[in-house]
Every structure is written in structure tokens, then in C-alpha cells.
Amino acid sequence: MAKEMYKLPPLKYGYADLAPYISEEQLRIHHDKHHQAYVSNVNSLLEMMDKARKEGTDFDYKAVAKAVSFNLGGHVLHDYFWWEMTPESNASKEPVGELADVIKEDFGSFERFKKEFTQTASSVEGSGWAALTYCGDTKRLGIMQIEKHNVNLVPDYPIIMDLDVWEHAYYIDYKNDRGKFIEGFWNIVNWEEIDKYFKKIQNMRME
């Protein structure tokens, strides 16, 4: 079977379509430069490992494992980030469907969930992410604070949605005002798509 490499996912909207919350310039650099760099880096590592295995040579296993985790984590988390957003004209302001019901059940209200997610994202030390997750064993939603792309992840907890709070996600539009970027993010969340994905995750866990 022919092996494949990772690819930069295309956006489902135009580069200017998330304005004014994410500008065209910001989105182009974030998607085409930063995300592409993670894809290119992990592909280079895969090519290097394939070559070494074919030739029977060694490489720095510890450093490579760490680099793969970092760059592949960056690719996967960005992949979620792009598809969960939509132009403001298409965005409902609150969760919908089954996800809305579970958020209300687990957090008490959407406003409480929004507060917890916002505070989790705001308080990431340095670079990282906030992510909504789901535990199939306890049937509970949870919020993870991910450092970098690969630290503090809970194994086997699927990500339902995430928010990139690396400075490269907002520095052109908001300078160092992470809080204003997070506030803007809530206006472009594609709750319909996230609810569909949440249902898919639940069905997979029941199989």
C-alpha cells in the first residue's frame, strides 16, 4: 500500500470571510505559513525516518519523537480550528442540538461553559490551546488546557472544539491582547458543524 504524507487542509471559507474578528492578512499568515510549517516539518521527519529505516541507520530517537509530537500535534489542532469556524453571518451565537443540551447539563448553562472555556484559554502560560473534550466512560464534557501542541493532552479524549491562543493566531489583529481575540472568536463558531461532530464522536464511542 502506497504511503501518503500530511497535507495542509483547504479552508471552507475565503481568507477575508472571518473579518472583522480574524483579518485576511492574519488568516493567510496563520494558515499558509504557520500551519504549513508544521505540515512540512512532520513530513520531513517522516521522510528522514523512512530513509534511515531503509538504510539501517540510526537517528536521534528522543529528539525525533519529540519533534514529531510537536509538529503533528500542531497540524491536528489547527485542522480542528479551521473547520469549526464560519463567517459571522452563518454563525449561531450559541450551541445547538445535542451538544447544547449536554453543555447545559454539564456546565449549568452556555454562559458558564463560555466563561470556563474563556478563562482556560486566557490563562494558558506562553503558547497553547483550550479544547473541549468528551469522556466516553463518564459521559462528561471537559475542558483541557494544552501547552504548545502536545503537553497536558489527556490520552484518548477526543477533541470536540479547540481555540488557538498562540500569539501567531492573533498578533496582527490584536497585538498582545489575547482576551480581545478570544472574545471575537465566539462570534464565528460553527456550532452546527461542532454538534454534528459531537454526535459522530458519541456514536463511535457506543460501537
Side-chain angles (χ1 to χ4, degrees), residues 64-99:
V64 169
K66 186 175 182 179
V68 169
S69 174
F70 176 80
N71 286 286
L72 186 52
H75 169 53
V76 171
L77 290 170
H78 279 91
D79 209 358
Y80 280 99
F81 186 53
W82 304 134
W83 69 253
E84 74 189 26
M85 293 188 291
T86 191
E88 183 179 20
S89 59
N90 297 334
S92 60
K93 297 307 179 184
E94 295 191 3
V96 299
E98 192 170 335
L99 178 60

PDB file of all heavy atoms in Angstrom, residues 64-99:
ATOM      1  N   VAL A  64      13.682  13.161  17.740  1.00  0.00           N
ATOM      2  CA  VAL A  64      12.738  12.999  16.635  1.00  0.00           C
ATOM      3  C   VAL A  64      11.331  12.717  17.158  1.00  0.00           C
ATOM      4  O   VAL A  64      10.345  13.272  16.660  1.00  0.00           O
ATOM      5  CB  VAL A  64      13.208  11.894  15.671  1.00  0.00           C
ATOM      6  CG1 VAL A  64      12.114  11.544  14.671  1.00  0.00           C
ATOM      7  CG2 VAL A  64      14.468  12.346  14.934  1.00  0.00           C
ATOM      8  N   ALA A  65      11.218  11.870  18.174  1.00  0.00           N
ATOM      9  CA  ALA A  65       9.901  11.582  18.748  1.00  0.00           C
ATOM     10  C   ALA A  65       9.254  12.851  19.283  1.00  0.00           C
ATOM     11  O   ALA A  65       8.049  13.085  19.096  1.00  0.00           O
ATOM     12  CB  ALA A  65      10.021  10.541  19.860  1.00  0.00           C
ATOM     13  N   LYS A  66      10.059  13.695  19.928  1.00  0.00           N
ATOM     14  CA  LYS A  66       9.546  14.954  20.462  1.00  0.00           C
ATOM     15  C   LYS A  66       9.134  15.896  19.339  1.00  0.00           C
ATOM     16  O   LYS A  66       8.084  16.542  19.397  1.00  0.00           O
ATOM     17  CB  LYS A  66      10.615  15.602  21.339  1.00  0.00           C
ATOM     18  CG  LYS A  66      10.152  16.847  22.067  1.00  0.00           C
ATOM     19  CD  LYS A  66      11.229  17.355  23.014  1.00  0.00           C
ATOM     20  CE  LYS A  66      10.752  18.580  23.779  1.00  0.00           C
ATOM     21  NZ  LYS A  66      11.799  19.072  24.721  1.00  0.00           N
ATOM     22  N   ALA A  67       9.953  15.969  18.293  1.00  0.00           N
ATOM     23  CA  ALA A  67       9.659  16.864  17.171  1.00  0.00           C
ATOM     24  C   ALA A  67       8.421  16.410  16.412  1.00  0.00           C
ATOM     25  O   ALA A  67       7.606  17.241  15.979  1.00  0.00           O
ATOM     26  CB  ALA A  67      10.858  16.937  16.238  1.00  0.00           C
ATOM     27  N   VAL A  68       8.252  15.099  16.233  1.00  0.00           N
ATOM     28  CA  VAL A  68       7.056  14.587  15.562  1.00  0.00           C
ATOM     29  C   VAL A  68       5.813  14.925  16.381  1.00  0.00           C
ATOM     30  O   VAL A  68       4.806  15.385  15.845  1.00  0.00           O
ATOM     31  CB  VAL A  68       7.164  13.068  15.319  1.00  0.00           C
ATOM     32  CG1 VAL A  68       5.809  12.503  14.878  1.00  0.00           C
ATOM     33  CG2 VAL A  68       8.218  12.760  14.271  1.00  0.00           C
ATOM     34  N   SER A  69       5.888  14.710  17.695  1.00  0.00           N
ATOM     35  CA  SER A  69       4.753  15.003  18.566  1.00  0.00           C
ATOM     36  C   SER A  69       4.367  16.470  18.483  1.00  0.00           C
ATOM     37  O   SER A  69       3.184  16.811  18.364  1.00  0.00           O
ATOM     38  CB  SER A  69       5.110  14.634  20.010  1.00  0.00           C
ATOM     39  OG  SER A  69       4.091  15.038  20.906  1.00  0.00           O
ATOM     40  N   PHE A  70       5.365  17.361  18.508  1.00  0.00           N
ATOM     41  CA  PHE A  70       5.099  18.796  18.469  1.00  0.00           C
ATOM     42  C   PHE A  70       4.492  19.225  17.136  1.00  0.00           C
ATOM     43  O   PHE A  70       3.459  19.890  17.090  1.00  0.00           O
ATOM     44  CB  PHE A  70       6.405  19.567  18.711  1.00  0.00           C
ATOM     45  CG  PHE A  70       6.252  21.055  18.593  1.00  0.00           C
ATOM     46  CD1 PHE A  70       5.731  21.802  19.633  1.00  0.00           C
ATOM     47  CD2 PHE A  70       6.627  21.712  17.428  1.00  0.00           C
ATOM     48  CE1 PHE A  70       5.589  23.187  19.512  1.00  0.00           C
ATOM     49  CE2 PHE A  70       6.489  23.088  17.302  1.00  0.00           C
ATOM     50  CZ  PHE A  70       5.966  23.815  18.350  1.00  0.00           C
ATOM     51  N   ASN A  71       5.115  18.831  16.029  1.00  0.00           N
ATOM     52  CA  ASN A  71       4.657  19.283  14.720  1.00  0.00           C
ATOM     53  C   ASN A  71       3.364  18.604  14.287  1.00  0.00           C
ATOM     54  O   ASN A  71       2.477  19.259  13.726  1.00  0.00           O
ATOM     55  CB  ASN A  71       5.755  19.056  13.683  1.00  0.00           C
ATOM     56  CG  ASN A  71       6.881  20.052  13.807  1.00  0.00           C
ATOM     57  OD1 ASN A  71       6.739  21.209  13.436  1.00  0.00           O
ATOM     58  ND2 ASN A  71       8.011  19.625  14.367  1.00  0.00           N
ATOM     59  N   LEU A  72       3.221  17.324  14.565  1.00  0.00           N
ATOM     60  CA  LEU A  72       1.980  16.641  14.211  1.00  0.00           C
ATOM     61  C   LEU A  72       0.835  17.124  15.096  1.00  0.00           C
ATOM     62  O   LEU A  72      -0.294  17.293  14.621  1.00  0.00           O
ATOM     63  CB  LEU A  72       2.157  15.128  14.330  1.00  0.00           C
ATOM     64  CG  LEU A  72       0.991  14.273  13.856  1.00  0.00           C
ATOM     65  CD1 LEU A  72       0.557  14.631  12.445  1.00  0.00           C
ATOM     66  CD2 LEU A  72       1.359  12.784  13.943  1.00  0.00           C
ATOM     67  N   GLY A  73       1.130  17.394  16.364  1.00  0.00           N
ATOM     68  CA  GLY A  73       0.122  17.967  17.238  1.00  0.00           C
ATOM     69  C   GLY A  73      -0.347  19.320  16.718  1.00  0.00           C
ATOM     70  O   GLY A  73      -1.537  19.631  16.730  1.00  0.00           O
ATOM     71  N   GLY A  74       0.596  20.128  16.235  1.00  0.00           N
ATOM     72  CA  GLY A  74       0.235  21.419  15.669  1.00  0.00           C
ATOM     73  C   GLY A  74      -0.653  21.277  14.449  1.00  0.00           C
ATOM     74  O   GLY A  74      -1.615  22.038  14.272  1.00  0.00           O
ATOM     75  N   HIS A  75      -0.338  20.312  13.607  1.00  0.00           N
ATOM     76  CA  HIS A  75      -1.158  20.080  12.414  1.00  0.00           C
ATOM     77  C   HIS A  75      -2.578  19.655  12.792  1.00  0.00           C
ATOM     78  O   HIS A  75      -3.561  20.216  12.289  1.00  0.00           O
ATOM     79  CB  HIS A  75      -0.502  19.005  11.553  1.00  0.00           C
ATOM     80  CG  HIS A  75      -1.362  18.484  10.451  1.00  0.00           C
ATOM     81  ND1 HIS A  75      -1.974  19.318   9.530  1.00  0.00           N
ATOM     82  CD2 HIS A  75      -1.742  17.212  10.132  1.00  0.00           C
ATOM     83  CE1 HIS A  75      -2.682  18.578   8.672  1.00  0.00           C
ATOM     84  NE2 HIS A  75      -2.558  17.315   9.027  1.00  0.00           N
ATOM     85  N   VAL A  76      -2.703  18.704  13.681  1.00  0.00           N
ATOM     86  CA  VAL A  76      -4.020  18.177  14.051  1.00  0.00           C
ATOM     87  C   VAL A  76      -4.878  19.242  14.736  1.00  0.00           C
ATOM     88  O   VAL A  76      -6.059  19.417  14.404  1.00  0.00           O
ATOM     89  CB  VAL A  76      -3.866  16.945  14.963  1.00  0.00           C
ATOM     90  CG1 VAL A  76      -5.217  16.520  15.535  1.00  0.00           C
ATOM     91  CG2 VAL A  76      -3.228  15.788  14.198  1.00  0.00           C
ATOM     92  N   LEU A  77      -4.292  19.986  15.670  1.00  0.00           N
ATOM     93  CA  LEU A  77      -5.066  21.001  16.390  1.00  0.00           C
ATOM     94  C   LEU A  77      -5.507  22.131  15.468  1.00  0.00           C
ATOM     95  O   LEU A  77      -6.634  22.637  15.580  1.00  0.00           O
ATOM     96  CB  LEU A  77      -4.244  21.550  17.556  1.00  0.00           C
ATOM     97  CG  LEU A  77      -4.034  20.572  18.721  1.00  0.00           C
ATOM     98  CD1 LEU A  77      -3.016  21.134  19.705  1.00  0.00           C
ATOM     99  CD2 LEU A  77      -5.346  20.265  19.426  1.00  0.00           C
ATOM    100  N   HIS A  78      -4.646  22.526  14.538  1.00  0.00           N
ATOM    101  CA  HIS A  78      -5.049  23.549  13.574  1.00  0.00           C
ATOM    102  C   HIS A  78      -6.159  23.034  12.653  1.00  0.00           C
ATOM    103  O   HIS A  78      -7.048  23.792  12.254  1.00  0.00           O
ATOM    104  CB  HIS A  78      -3.852  24.009  12.745  1.00  0.00           C
ATOM    105  CG  HIS A  78      -2.988  25.009  13.436  1.00  0.00           C
ATOM    106  ND1 HIS A  78      -1.906  24.660  14.202  1.00  0.00           N
ATOM    107  CD2 HIS A  78      -3.068  26.372  13.496  1.00  0.00           C
ATOM    108  CE1 HIS A  78      -1.347  25.755  14.694  1.00  0.00           C
ATOM    109  NE2 HIS A  78      -2.034  26.806  14.279  1.00  0.00           N
ATOM    110  N   ASP A  79      -6.099  21.774  12.300  1.00  0.00           N
ATOM    111  CA  ASP A  79      -7.128  21.191  11.436  1.00  0.00           C
ATOM    112  C   ASP A  79      -8.505  21.348  12.070  1.00  0.00           C
ATOM    113  O   ASP A  79      -9.477  21.728  11.405  1.00  0.00           O
ATOM    114  CB  ASP A  79      -6.817  19.711  11.204  1.00  0.00           C
ATOM    115  CG  ASP A  79      -7.335  19.220   9.867  1.00  0.00           C
ATOM    116  OD1 ASP A  79      -7.967  20.010   9.137  1.00  0.00           O
ATOM    117  OD2 ASP A  79      -7.105  18.043   9.542  1.00  0.00           O
ATOM    118  N   TYR A  80      -8.609  21.070  13.372  1.00  0.00           N
ATOM    119  CA  TYR A  80      -9.866  21.300  14.082  1.00  0.00           C
ATOM    120  C   TYR A  80     -10.258  22.775  14.055  1.00  0.00           C
ATOM    121  O   TYR A  80     -11.418  23.124  13.818  1.00  0.00           O
ATOM    122  CB  TYR A  80      -9.749  20.870  15.557  1.00  0.00           C
ATOM    123  CG  TYR A  80      -9.884  19.405  15.811  1.00  0.00           C
ATOM    124  CD1 TYR A  80      -8.760  18.603  15.996  1.00  0.00           C
ATOM    125  CD2 TYR A  80     -11.135  18.806  15.894  1.00  0.00           C
ATOM    126  CE1 TYR A  80      -8.880  17.243  16.245  1.00  0.00           C
ATOM    127  CE2 TYR A  80     -11.268  17.447  16.154  1.00  0.00           C
ATOM    128  CZ  TYR A  80     -10.131  16.666  16.332  1.00  0.00           C
ATOM    129  OH  TYR A  80     -10.255  15.337  16.578  1.00  0.00           O
ATOM    130  N   PHE A  81      -9.278  23.616  14.332  1.00  0.00           N
ATOM    131  CA  PHE A  81      -9.537  25.054  14.475  1.00  0.00           C
ATOM    132  C   PHE A  81     -10.159  25.646  13.218  1.00  0.00           C
ATOM    133  O   PHE A  81     -11.108  26.443  13.292  1.00  0.00           O
ATOM    134  CB  PHE A  81      -8.211  25.748  14.806  1.00  0.00           C
ATOM    135  CG  PHE A  81      -8.336  27.213  15.134  1.00  0.00           C
ATOM    136  CD1 PHE A  81      -9.217  27.661  16.103  1.00  0.00           C
ATOM    137  CD2 PHE A  81      -7.528  28.147  14.498  1.00  0.00           C
ATOM    138  CE1 PHE A  81      -9.310  29.003  16.422  1.00  0.00           C
ATOM    139  CE2 PHE A  81      -7.604  29.494  14.812  1.00  0.00           C
ATOM    140  CZ  PHE A  81      -8.498  29.922  15.773  1.00  0.00           C
ATOM    141  N   TRP A  82      -9.680  25.246  12.040  1.00  0.00           N
ATOM    142  CA  TRP A  82     -10.198  25.834  10.795  1.00  0.00           C
ATOM    143  C   TRP A  82     -11.645  25.429  10.538  1.00  0.00           C
ATOM    144  O   TRP A  82     -12.482  26.263  10.202  1.00  0.00           O
ATOM    145  CB  TRP A  82      -9.334  25.426   9.598  1.00  0.00           C
ATOM    146  CG  TRP A  82      -7.883  25.753   9.722  1.00  0.00           C
ATOM    147  CD1 TRP A  82      -6.825  24.923   9.441  1.00  0.00           C
ATOM    148  CD2 TRP A  82      -7.288  26.990  10.129  1.00  0.00           C
ATOM    149  NE1 TRP A  82      -5.636  25.554   9.680  1.00  0.00           N
ATOM    150  CE2 TRP A  82      -5.887  26.826  10.094  1.00  0.00           C
ATOM    151  CE3 TRP A  82      -7.810  28.215  10.533  1.00  0.00           C
ATOM    152  CZ2 TRP A  82      -4.999  27.842  10.442  1.00  0.00           C
ATOM    153  CZ3 TRP A  82      -6.924  29.239  10.890  1.00  0.00           C
ATOM    154  CH2 TRP A  82      -5.546  29.050  10.836  1.00  0.00           C
ATOM    155  N   TRP A  83     -11.948  24.148  10.666  1.00  0.00           N
ATOM    156  CA  TRP A  83     -13.297  23.733  10.260  1.00  0.00           C
ATOM    157  C   TRP A  83     -14.372  24.138  11.253  1.00  0.00           C
ATOM    158  O   TRP A  83     -15.555  24.179  10.918  1.00  0.00           O
ATOM    159  CB  TRP A  83     -13.368  22.228   9.971  1.00  0.00           C
ATOM    160  CG  TRP A  83     -13.240  21.280  11.132  1.00  0.00           C
ATOM    161  CD1 TRP A  83     -12.174  20.498  11.435  1.00  0.00           C
ATOM    162  CD2 TRP A  83     -14.242  20.955  12.119  1.00  0.00           C
ATOM    163  NE1 TRP A  83     -12.423  19.742  12.556  1.00  0.00           N
ATOM    164  CE2 TRP A  83     -13.692  20.003  12.991  1.00  0.00           C
ATOM    165  CE3 TRP A  83     -15.545  21.405  12.352  1.00  0.00           C
ATOM    166  CZ2 TRP A  83     -14.382  19.474  14.084  1.00  0.00           C
ATOM    167  CZ3 TRP A  83     -16.250  20.882  13.442  1.00  0.00           C
ATOM    168  CH2 TRP A  83     -15.664  19.927  14.285  1.00  0.00           C
ATOM    169  N   GLU A  84     -13.984  24.450  12.502  1.00  0.00           N
ATOM    170  CA  GLU A  84     -15.010  24.795  13.495  1.00  0.00           C
ATOM    171  C   GLU A  84     -15.416  26.267  13.441  1.00  0.00           C
ATOM    172  O   GLU A  84     -16.273  26.691  14.214  1.00  0.00           O
ATOM    173  CB  GLU A  84     -14.510  24.452  14.895  1.00  0.00           C
ATOM    174  CG  GLU A  84     -13.460  25.429  15.401  1.00  0.00           C
ATOM    175  CD  GLU A  84     -12.791  24.982  16.686  1.00  0.00           C
ATOM    176  OE1 GLU A  84     -12.728  23.768  16.952  1.00  0.00           O
ATOM    177  OE2 GLU A  84     -12.321  25.864  17.425  1.00  0.00           O
ATOM    178  N   MET A  85     -14.832  27.032  12.521  1.00  0.00           N
ATOM    179  CA  MET A  85     -15.204  28.440  12.380  1.00  0.00           C
ATOM    180  C   MET A  85     -15.983  28.668  11.091  1.00  0.00           C
ATOM    181  O   MET A  85     -15.905  27.877  10.151  1.00  0.00           O
ATOM    182  CB  MET A  85     -13.956  29.326  12.421  1.00  0.00           C
ATOM    183  CG  MET A  85     -13.253  29.331  13.768  1.00  0.00           C
ATOM    184  SD  MET A  85     -11.907  30.536  13.895  1.00  0.00           S
ATOM    185  CE  MET A  85     -10.693  29.822  12.772  1.00  0.00           C
ATOM    186  N   THR A  86     -16.734  29.776  11.059  1.00  0.00           N
ATOM    187  CA  THR A  86     -17.554  30.113   9.901  1.00  0.00           C
ATOM    188  C   THR A  86     -17.761  31.626   9.896  1.00  0.00           C
ATOM    189  O   THR A  86     -17.625  32.273  10.948  1.00  0.00           O
ATOM    190  CB  THR A  86     -18.908  29.379   9.975  1.00  0.00           C
ATOM    191  OG1 THR A  86     -19.599  29.514   8.731  1.00  0.00           O
ATOM    192  CG2 THR A  86     -19.790  29.910  11.091  1.00  0.00           C
ATOM    193  N   PRO A  87     -18.074  32.216   8.760  1.00  0.00           N
ATOM    194  CA  PRO A  87     -18.373  33.654   8.755  1.00  0.00           C
ATOM    195  C   PRO A  87     -19.487  33.994   9.743  1.00  0.00           C
ATOM    196  O   PRO A  87     -20.402  33.195   9.966  1.00  0.00           O
ATOM    197  CB  PRO A  87     -18.809  33.910   7.309  1.00  0.00           C
ATOM    198  CG  PRO A  87     -18.096  32.860   6.519  1.00  0.00           C
ATOM    199  CD  PRO A  87     -18.073  31.647   7.394  1.00  0.00           C
ATOM    200  N   GLU A  88     -19.418  35.181  10.307  1.00  0.00           N
ATOM    201  CA  GLU A  88     -20.382  35.578  11.331  1.00  0.00           C
ATOM    202  C   GLU A  88     -21.820  35.472  10.832  1.00  0.00           C
ATOM    203  O   GLU A  88     -22.722  35.115  11.602  1.00  0.00           O
ATOM    204  CB  GLU A  88     -20.100  37.008  11.795  1.00  0.00           C
ATOM    205  CG  GLU A  88     -21.005  37.471  12.915  1.00  0.00           C
ATOM    206  CD  GLU A  88     -20.706  38.880  13.375  1.00  0.00           C
ATOM    207  OE1 GLU A  88     -20.080  39.644  12.600  1.00  0.00           O
ATOM    208  OE2 GLU A  88     -21.101  39.241  14.502  1.00  0.00           O
ATOM    209  N   SER A  89     -22.048  35.728   9.565  1.00  0.00           N
ATOM    210  CA  SER A  89     -23.404  35.674   9.021  1.00  0.00           C
ATOM    211  C   SER A  89     -23.991  34.267   9.071  1.00  0.00           C
ATOM    212  O   SER A  89     -25.214  34.090   9.052  1.00  0.00           O
ATOM    213  CB  SER A  89     -23.418  36.179   7.575  1.00  0.00           C
ATOM    214  OG  SER A  89     -22.557  35.394   6.765  1.00  0.00           O
ATOM    215  N   ASN A  90     -23.127  33.246   9.145  1.00  0.00           N
ATOM    216  CA  ASN A  90     -23.600  31.855   9.208  1.00  0.00           C
ATOM    217  C   ASN A  90     -23.592  31.291  10.623  1.00  0.00           C
ATOM    218  O   ASN A  90     -24.045  30.157  10.834  1.00  0.00           O
ATOM    219  CB  ASN A  90     -22.708  30.951   8.345  1.00  0.00           C
ATOM    220  CG  ASN A  90     -22.747  31.321   6.877  1.00  0.00           C
ATOM    221  OD1 ASN A  90     -23.734  31.880   6.405  1.00  0.00           O
ATOM    222  ND2 ASN A  90     -21.679  31.021   6.158  1.00  0.00           N
ATOM    223  N   ALA A  91     -23.074  32.039  11.561  1.00  0.00           N
ATOM    224  CA  ALA A  91     -22.831  31.502  12.903  1.00  0.00           C
ATOM    225  C   ALA A  91     -24.014  31.745  13.834  1.00  0.00           C
ATOM    226  O   ALA A  91     -24.489  32.873  13.960  1.00  0.00           O
ATOM    227  CB  ALA A  91     -21.570  32.130  13.488  1.00  0.00           C
ATOM    228  N   SER A  92     -24.477  30.675  14.476  1.00  0.00           N
ATOM    229  CA  SER A  92     -25.417  30.859  15.581  1.00  0.00           C
ATOM    230  C   SER A  92     -24.591  31.312  16.777  1.00  0.00           C
ATOM    231  O   SER A  92     -23.414  30.988  16.887  1.00  0.00           O
ATOM    232  CB  SER A  92     -26.136  29.548  15.898  1.00  0.00           C
ATOM    233  OG  SER A  92     -25.216  28.540  16.260  1.00  0.00           O
ATOM    234  N   LYS A  93     -25.160  32.053  17.650  1.00  0.00           N
ATOM    235  CA  LYS A  93     -24.409  32.640  18.757  1.00  0.00           C
ATOM    236  C   LYS A  93     -24.255  31.691  19.941  1.00  0.00           C
ATOM    237  O   LYS A  93     -23.492  31.967  20.862  1.00  0.00           O
ATOM    238  CB  LYS A  93     -25.073  33.947  19.211  1.00  0.00           C
ATOM    239  CG  LYS A  93     -25.094  35.026  18.134  1.00  0.00           C
ATOM    240  CD  LYS A  93     -23.700  35.287  17.565  1.00  0.00           C
ATOM    241  CE  LYS A  93     -23.732  36.338  16.475  1.00  0.00           C
ATOM    242  NZ  LYS A  93     -22.390  36.524  15.842  1.00  0.00           N
ATOM    243  N   GLU A  94     -24.987  30.593  19.902  1.00  0.00           N
ATOM    244  CA  GLU A  94     -24.902  29.617  20.988  1.00  0.00           C
ATOM    245  C   GLU A  94     -24.907  28.208  20.405  1.00  0.00           C
ATOM    246  O   GLU A  94     -25.291  28.012  19.245  1.00  0.00           O
ATOM    247  CB  GLU A  94     -26.082  29.785  21.948  1.00  0.00           C
ATOM    248  CG  GLU A  94     -26.104  31.104  22.692  1.00  0.00           C
ATOM    249  CD  GLU A  94     -27.130  31.126  23.806  1.00  0.00           C
ATOM    250  OE1 GLU A  94     -27.784  30.086  24.032  1.00  0.00           O
ATOM    251  OE2 GLU A  94     -27.267  32.180  24.462  1.00  0.00           O
ATOM    252  N   PRO A  95     -24.477  27.223  21.183  1.00  0.00           N
ATOM    253  CA  PRO A  95     -24.514  25.830  20.720  1.00  0.00           C
ATOM    254  C   PRO A  95     -25.918  25.407  20.328  1.00  0.00           C
ATOM    255  O   PRO A  95     -26.910  25.970  20.796  1.00  0.00           O
ATOM    256  CB  PRO A  95     -24.026  25.043  21.941  1.00  0.00           C
ATOM    257  CG  PRO A  95     -23.222  26.030  22.722  1.00  0.00           C
ATOM    258  CD  PRO A  95     -23.893  27.355  22.521  1.00  0.00           C
ATOM    259  N   VAL A  96     -25.993  24.406  19.475  1.00  0.00           N
ATOM    260  CA  VAL A  96     -27.279  23.898  19.003  1.00  0.00           C
ATOM    261  C   VAL A  96     -27.323  22.384  19.214  1.00  0.00           C
ATOM    262  O   VAL A  96     -26.307  21.739  19.470  1.00  0.00           O
ATOM    263  CB  VAL A  96     -27.499  24.221  17.502  1.00  0.00           C
ATOM    264  CG1 VAL A  96     -27.507  25.722  17.270  1.00  0.00           C
ATOM    265  CG2 VAL A  96     -26.428  23.550  16.641  1.00  0.00           C
ATOM    266  N   GLY A  97     -28.526  21.837  19.078  1.00  0.00           N
ATOM    267  CA  GLY A  97     -28.701  20.394  19.046  1.00  0.00           C
ATOM    268  C   GLY A  97     -28.323  19.683  20.331  1.00  0.00           C
ATOM    269  O   GLY A  97     -28.435  20.214  21.443  1.00  0.00           O
ATOM    270  N   GLU A  98     -27.813  18.470  20.158  1.00  0.00           N
ATOM    271  CA  GLU A  98     -27.471  17.619  21.293  1.00  0.00           C
ATOM    272  C   GLU A  98     -26.343  18.218  22.119  1.00  0.00           C
ATOM    273  O   GLU A  98     -26.337  18.120  23.350  1.00  0.00           O
ATOM    274  CB  GLU A  98     -27.077  16.235  20.781  1.00  0.00           C
ATOM    275  CG  GLU A  98     -26.981  15.174  21.853  1.00  0.00           C
ATOM    276  CD  GLU A  98     -26.818  13.789  21.265  1.00  0.00           C
ATOM    277  OE1 GLU A  98     -27.240  13.575  20.114  1.00  0.00           O
ATOM    278  OE2 GLU A  98     -26.259  12.937  21.968  1.00  0.00           O
ATOM    279  N   LEU A  99     -25.384  18.847  21.449  1.00  0.00           N
ATOM    280  CA  LEU A  99     -24.274  19.460  22.177  1.00  0.00           C
ATOM    281  C   LEU A  99     -24.775  20.550  23.111  1.00  0.00           C
ATOM    282  O   LEU A  99     -24.299  20.667  24.248  1.00  0.00           O
ATOM    283  CB  LEU A  99     -23.251  20.044  21.204  1.00  0.00           C
ATOM    284  CG  LEU A  99     -22.057  20.747  21.842  1.00  0.00           C
ATOM    285  CD1 LEU A  99     -21.261  19.787  22.722  1.00  0.00           C
ATOM    286  CD2 LEU A  99     -21.156  21.359  20.769  1.00  0.00           C
TER     287      LEU A  99
END
